[in-house]
Amino acid sequence: MAKRIGEKYQVILEAAVKTFARTGYHRTRVADIAHEAGVADGTVYIYFKNKEDVLISLFQDLMIRFVDELQNELVQYQDANEKLIAIINYHLTTLANKPDQAKVTQIELRQIDQTINDGISKPLMSYFQLIEEVIDEGKEQNLYRQNLNTRTARKVIFGAIDEVVTCWVMSNKPYDLSTLSEPVFDMLVRGLR
Amino acid sequence: MAKRIGEKYQVILEAAVKTFARTGYHRTRVADIAHEAGVADGTVYIYFKNKEDVLISLFQDLMIRFVDELQNELVQYQDANEKLIAIINYHLTTLANKPDQAKVTQIELRQIDQTINDGISKPLMSYFQLIEEVIDEGKEQNLYRQNLNTRTARKVIFGAIDEVVTCWVMSNKPYDLSTLSEPVFDMLVRGLR
Amino acid sequence: MAKRIGEKYQVILEAAVKTFARTGYHRTRVADIAHEAGVADGTVYIYFKNKEDVLISLFQDLMIRFVDELQNELVQYQDANEKLIAIINYHLTTLANKPDQAKVTQIELRQIDQTINDGISKPLMSYFQLIEEVIDEGKEQNLYRQNLNTRTARKVIFGAIDEVVTCWVMSNKPYDLSTLSEPVFDMLVRGLR
Amino acid sequence: MAKRIGEKYQVILEAAVKTFARTGYHRTRVADIAHEAGVADGTVYIYFKNKEDVLISLFQDLMIRFVDELQNELVQYQDANEKLIAIINYHLTTLANKPDQAKVTQIELRQIDQTINDGISKPLMSYFQLIEEVIDEGKEQNLYRQNLNTRTARKVIFGAIDEVVTCWVMSNKPYDLSTLSEPVFDMLVRGLR
DNA sequence: GATGAATGAGAGTTCATTCAT
DNA sequence: AATGAATGAACTCTCATTCAT
């Protein structure tokens, strides 16, 4: 089971994002996902271990793609500041354009027991690491102060962006999320110097 | 139902923090809370509408007390910077000293449908407002730049602190959370200037 | 317990008729009856053994009074036919004037396990007996044929009246029940001859 | 849900008659029915909305078959009197031969809220209509008097038969119910003339 | 007698998961 | 691989009844 291949794997994943975003993780029945995907209930279990695995796979899928694309984006920049604004920009723009994904990432994903969940933390780690690399580069480039604790800085940066997105999702998105890139970058970069 | 008075109300609430922190919200049965509180299952329903109401009342209880005490703390300071460091300090120290409460606030509370939940967002608002007032004072005192967007700044500040706490809770608290006050304040206050 | 005296005994009984008629026996909580009666929940248990006992006592109370008054009514008649029309008339008129009582008698009372219930069948028996006495008198008076089986005749008579009342109750009483006395009597008395 | 087809639908229905008749509706647990039917608890909910729906479906099933067979029976007769005795005969004989069904029909079925229940009244209506048609035919054939109110006559007839059956069920059936056909018919037909 | 807070047994129902086809 | 009927464990919540005051 849990074969990461096959047309239906993707179909189910897409049905899951839609259904989780609409109904919420706990209120979504596996049968709902199957129905939305146009497959039988049992088919879900050919591709996924269980309901939680659907949510986690979903997140991993999104996150791997997210980090991949972000890395591609960053190669064009040398300057740590430019990289940082690119990160914030990419983070906000991506979620602004994919409201279902944003809902799942910011809300539904937090409905499963975080304390034991490797499936969630591992893909996040690679994003965290990417941020930390940029901070370190900034320190090497003498853009950021040497006594800055990289890990703490990363938490501040990620926490800030994440909160901005969560507020936007919870407020039912009445404004353009990507307009916050600049002010957020502005605050964060000053903090790093 | 839902009488906010009576000895048992508090007993159940305390039992709930302990049980939610230990077992997690969804894995906790109402019977577990009742057992921990030393009351009958049905008694929980005399004081609370249902299981979700226990969690929300818990949060409201904690949050109201949190904001109250924080406000008392702040009156001794005039300077916005001093107030901001006091906020961060208070936030981190309080949760550092109450690991069960920290677990419930950072993890379990996020397991219920946030999108519809007034019970959670309203008490949070008063904390948000308090932070925003300090930012505004800082602008008046010419400590922070005038073009700073207060709301965005609040999100960055809260998000940063919140993420720092969450990381600490998820990492099983191997270090003293309150030592992060200074570096976090340092980053944030530079961002505000 | 179950003291058939005291002001509250009657108060609770009256509250019970009203509440059972409005909400139905199974959907009525003991607390509802107590509330309607203006007494504490526990007080109900001073006067009644349990919820079922309230319903049965209610029925006994009504039935004893019903048969008593009916007997008083009948003494003025000698003729079995006159007595029979008096019975039908009294039965229909009484229930027509007390819709709550009718609802409880025709509907709610049948919601408790009939097969074991002495409390219901015994008071009914005295009514049945009264009807059978009239039939026997009619046979002695040569109004009704000698080969008429008294018991069967009683069942037919009671069943007929009872069904007429039930239909009236279930149809939400859009017509005057007592107008059916004559046609029902007409059918029944012909059957007896 | 509530698929009126499939082998299990019938199996559950048969288990339900048996269980309701033995234990009574309110004392029967859904698990008891499932156990008697040899299926899992949840399976009951594939075919029925809930416990009440089992009882109602049961009655509908029985009633539809009852009226169907009765109609087939009646086609061989032209004379209204012959039809009437056939009805009484069929009614009493059928229930005499199916004690479980009789118990459920006469006792258990009356334990659910009659006032709102279409599921019960609608199938009964078709039986009522059938009786009324016979009465009308009798009037056309000049067997019954013209001023007879058909509806009232039907109530008297049905009430009489129903009461006879109820008495038999409640007395634990010490005699042959079908022997009452003739005396009951005798009384009723005289009433109609 | 009267109260009403507390009790705790009890059962209906849901739904993730399985597995024979 | 795909199906979907069947499973049965799980758990919330209700409410009749009790009893200390």
Side-chain angles (χ1 to χ4, degrees):
Chain A
M1 356 209 140
K3 307 167 191 177
R4 256 100 236 283
I5 42 154
E7 184 206 0
K8 302 228 165 149
Y9 180 79
Q10 278 305 324
V11 172
I12 293 168
L13 237 35
E14 275 155 38
V17 195
K18 215 183 284 187
T19 319
F20 286 150
R22 191 198 313 131
T23 328
Y25 175 70
H26 277 109
R27 273 199 295 265
T28 293
R29 281 162 281 160
V30 173
D32 295 335
I33 301 172
H35 183 80
E36 176 78 39
V39 300
D41 297 13
T43 306
V44 174
Y45 289 87
I46 296 173
Y47 295 94
F48 301 91
K49 220 170 83 242
N50 52 36
K51 184 178 157 184
E52 194 179 287
D53 186 40
V54 177
L55 181 54
I56 292 170
S57 303
L58 188 53
F59 178 65
Q60 293 176 330
D61 209 66
L62 296 172
M63 208 61 205
I64 288 168
R65 207 170 306 169
F66 181 92
V67 175
D68 261 19
E69 286 183 21
L70 179 52
Q71 263 165 336
N72 284 337
E73 190 79 9
L74 293 185
V75 288
Q76 59 185 300
Y77 304 111
Q78 300 305 324
D79 185 79
N81 280 335
E82 285 183 326
K83 286 190 178 182
L84 186 56
I85 182 85
I87 289 175
I88 298 170
N89 221 16
Y90 180 76
H91 190 143
L92 297 184
T93 309
T94 303
L95 294 183
N97 291 331
K98 300 177 180 170
D100 282 353
Q101 173 177 339
K103 175 92 189 303
V104 171
T105 309
Q106 303 305 120
I107 312 287
E108 305 314 327
L109 196 68
R110 323 218 164 174
Q111 309 230 354
I112 49 177
D113 212 317
Q114 306 275 337
T115 38
I116 15 166
N117 221 311
D118 269 10
I120 290 171
S121 48
K122 270 167 72 181
L124 257 181
M125 287 305 160
S126 58
Y127 184 34
F128 288 168
Q129 203 179 332
L130 197 153
I131 298 175
E132 293 183 16
E133 281 164 14
V134 172
I135 298 168
D136 282 337
E137 286 177 41
K139 281 157 83 175
E140 282 164 26
Q141 294 169 2
N142 268 315
L143 292 169
Y144 308 149
R145 60 199 143 95
Q146 298 306 315
N147 70 339
L148 187 76
N149 182 292
T150 304
R151 178 134 314 162
T152 304
R154 180 266 293 167
K155 291 175 193 171
V156 168
I157 292 169
F158 177 79
I161 305 175
D162 192 56
E163 176 70 9
V164 159
V165 178
T166 297
C167 286
W168 175 74
V169 169
M170 307 255 294
S171 66
N172 291 310
K173 309 144 198 155
Y175 50 87
D176 183 359
L177 180 59
S178 48
T179 60
L180 293 179
S181 285
E182 208 190 293
V184 169
F185 166 74
D186 226 47
M187 277 198 68
L188 293 175
V189 80
R190 284 160 195 256
L192 302 170
R193 281 189 198 125
Chain B
M1 309 108 218
K3 310 168 193 174
R4 256 95 235 286
I5 42 154
E7 183 207 359
K8 303 245 160 127
Y9 180 80
Q10 278 305 324
V11 173
I12 293 168
L13 236 35
E14 276 155 37
V17 195
K18 215 181 283 187
T19 318
F20 286 151
R22 190 197 314 130
T23 328
Y25 175 70
H26 278 109
R27 272 198 296 266
T28 293
R29 281 161 287 155
V30 173
D32 296 334
I33 301 172
H35 183 80
E36 176 77 40
V39 300
D41 295 15
T43 306
V44 175
Y45 289 89
I46 296 175
Y47 295 94
F48 302 91
K49 222 170 81 243
N50 51 36
K51 184 177 149 184
E52 193 180 290
D53 187 40
V54 177
L55 180 54
I56 292 172
S57 303
L58 188 52
F59 176 65
Q60 292 176 332
D61 211 65
L62 296 173
M63 209 59 206
I64 287 167
R65 206 170 304 168
F66 181 91
V67 174
D68 261 19
E69 287 183 21
L70 178 52
Q71 262 165 336
N72 284 336
E73 190 78 11
L74 293 186
V75 288
Q76 59 185 303
Y77 303 111
Q78 300 305 322
D79 186 80
N81 279 335
E82 285 182 325
K83 286 190 178 182
L84 186 58
I85 183 87
I87 288 174
I88 298 170
N89 221 17
Y90 179 77
H91 190 141
L92 296 184
T93 310
T94 302
L95 293 183
N97 291 330
K98 300 178 179 170
D100 282 353
Q101 174 178 337
K103 176 88 188 303
V104 171
T105 309
Q106 302 304 121
I107 311 288
E108 305 313 328
L109 195 69
R110 324 217 165 174
Q111 309 230 353
I112 47 177
D113 212 316
Q114 306 274 339
T115 37
I116 10 166
N117 220 311
D118 266 11
I120 290 172
S121 48
K122 270 167 72 180
L124 257 182
M125 288 304 160
S126 57
Y127 184 32
F128 289 169
Q129 205 182 329
L130 199 152
I131 298 175
E132 293 183 15
E133 279 164 15
V134 172
I135 298 168
D136 282 336
E137 286 177 44
K139 282 157 83 174
E140 281 164 29
Q141 294 168 1
N142 268 315
L143 293 169
Y144 309 150
R145 61 199 144 93
Q146 298 306 316
N147 70 340
L148 188 73
N149 181 292
T150 305
R151 177 133 312 161
T152 304
R154 180 265 293 169
K155 291 175 193 171
V156 168
I157 292 170
F158 177 79
I161 306 175
D162 192 58
E163 175 71 10
V164 160
V165 177
T166 297
C167 286
W168 175 73
V169 169
M170 308 253 295
S171 67
N172 292 308
K173 309 142 199 155
Y175 51 87
D176 182 359
L177 181 59
S178 48
T179 60
L180 291 180
S181 286
E182 209 189 292
V184 169
F185 166 75
D186 226 47
M187 277 198 68
L188 291 176
V189 79
R190 285 162 194 257
L192 301 170
R193 283 190 196 124
Chain C
M1 0 212 135
K3 306 168 192 179
R4 257 97 237 284
I5 42 154
E7 185 206 358
K8 303 227 166 150
Y9 180 79
Q10 278 305 322
V11 172
I12 293 168
L13 236 34
E14 275 155 39
V17 195
K18 215 181 283 188
T19 319
F20 286 150
R22 192 197 311 131
T23 328
Y25 175 72
H26 277 108
R27 274 199 295 263
T28 294
R29 281 161 280 159
V30 173
D32 295 336
I33 302 172
H35 183 80
E36 175 78 40
V39 300
D41 296 13
T43 306
V44 174
Y45 289 86
I46 296 172
Y47 295 94
F48 300 91
K49 221 169 84 239
N50 51 36
K51 183 179 158 185
E52 193 179 287
D53 187 39
V54 176
L55 180 55
I56 292 171
S57 303
L58 188 52
F59 177 65
Q60 291 176 333
D61 208 66
L62 296 173
M63 210 58 206
I64 288 167
R65 206 171 303 169
F66 182 90
V67 174
D68 261 20
E69 285 183 21
L70 178 52
Q71 263 166 336
N72 284 337
E73 189 79 10
L74 293 185
V75 288
Q76 60 184 304
Y77 304 111
Q78 300 304 325
D79 186 79
N81 279 336
E82 286 182 325
K83 287 191 178 182
L84 186 57
I85 182 86
I87 288 174
I88 298 170
N89 221 15
Y90 179 77
H91 191 142
L92 297 184
T93 311
T94 303
L95 294 183
N97 291 329
K98 299 177 180 170
D100 281 355
Q101 175 178 338
K103 175 91 189 301
V104 172
T105 310
Q106 302 304 121
I107 312 287
E108 305 315 328
L109 195 69
R110 323 215 165 177
Q111 308 229 352
I112 49 178
D113 212 316
Q114 306 275 338
T115 37
I116 15 164
N117 219 309
D118 269 9
I120 291 170
S121 48
K122 270 166 72 179
L124 257 182
M125 287 305 162
S126 58
Y127 183 33
F128 288 168
Q129 207 181 329
L130 198 153
I131 298 175
E132 294 183 15
E133 280 164 16
V134 171
I135 298 168
D136 281 337
E137 286 177 42
K139 282 157 81 176
E140 281 164 26
Q141 293 169 2
N142 267 315
L143 293 169
Y144 308 150
R145 58 200 145 93
Q146 298 305 315
N147 69 340
L148 187 74
N149 183 293
T150 305
R151 177 133 314 161
T152 305
R154 180 266 293 168
K155 291 175 194 171
V156 168
I157 292 169
F158 177 79
I161 305 175
D162 192 58
E163 175 71 9
V164 159
V165 178
T166 298
C167 286
W168 176 73
V169 169
M170 306 254 295
S171 67
N172 291 310
K173 309 145 198 155
Y175 50 88
D176 182 0
L177 181 59
S178 49
T179 60
L180 292 180
S181 285
E182 210 190 290
V184 169
F185 167 75
D186 226 47
M187 278 197 67
L188 293 175
V189 79
R190 284 160 195 257
L192 303 169
R193 286 196 191 117
Chain D
M1 308 111 217
K3 311 168 191 172
R4 256 97 235 284
I5 43 152
E7 185 206 359
K8 303 244 161 130
Y9 179 80
Q10 279 305 323
V11 172
I12 293 168
L13 236 34
E14 276 155 37
V17 195
K18 218 182 281 189
T19 318
F20 286 151
R22 190 197 312 130
T23 329
Y25 175 71
H26 278 109
R27 273 199 295 267
T28 293
R29 281 162 287 159
V30 173
D32 296 334
I33 302 172
H35 183 80
E36 176 76 42
V39 299
D41 296 14
T43 307
V44 175
Y45 290 87
I46 296 175
Y47 295 94
F48 301 91
K49 221 170 80 244
N50 51 36
K51 185 176 152 186
E52 192 179 289
D53 187 40
V54 177
L55 181 53
I56 292 172
S57 303
L58 189 52
F59 177 66
Q60 292 176 331
D61 211 65
L62 296 173
M63 209 60 204
I64 287 168
R65 208 170 304 168
F66 181 91
V67 174
D68 261 19
E69 286 183 21
L70 179 51
Q71 262 165 336
N72 284 337
E73 190 78 11
L74 293 186
V75 289
Q76 58 185 301
Y77 303 112
Q78 300 303 325
D79 186 80
N81 280 334
E82 286 182 323
K83 285 189 177 180
L84 186 57
I85 182 87
I87 288 174
I88 298 170
N89 221 17
Y90 179 78
H91 191 143
L92 297 183
T93 310
T94 302
L95 294 183
N97 291 329
K98 298 177 180 168
D100 282 353
Q101 174 178 338
K103 175 88 188 306
V104 171
T105 309
Q106 302 304 120
I107 312 289
E108 305 314 328
L109 196 67
R110 322 216 167 176
Q111 309 230 352
I112 46 177
D113 213 317
Q114 305 275 337
T115 37
I116 10 167
N117 220 312
D118 266 11
I120 291 171
S121 49
K122 270 165 74 179
L124 257 182
M125 288 304 161
S126 59
Y127 184 31
F128 288 169
Q129 204 182 330
L130 197 152
I131 299 176
E132 293 183 16
E133 280 164 14
V134 172
I135 298 169
D136 281 336
E137 286 177 42
K139 282 158 81 175
E140 281 166 26
Q141 294 168 2
N142 270 312
L143 293 169
Y144 310 150
R145 59 198 144 94
Q146 298 306 315
N147 69 340
L148 187 75
N149 182 293
T150 304
R151 178 135 312 162
T152 304
R154 180 266 292 169
K155 292 174 192 171
V156 168
I157 292 169
F158 177 79
I161 306 175
D162 191 58
E163 176 70 11
V164 159
V165 177
T166 298
C167 287
W168 175 74
V169 169
M170 308 254 295
S171 67
N172 290 308
K173 310 144 199 152
Y175 50 87
D176 182 359
L177 180 59
S178 49
T179 61
L180 292 180
S181 286
E182 212 190 289
V184 169
F185 166 74
D186 227 46
M187 277 198 67
L188 292 176
V189 79
R190 285 161 195 258
L192 302 170
R193 281 189 196 126

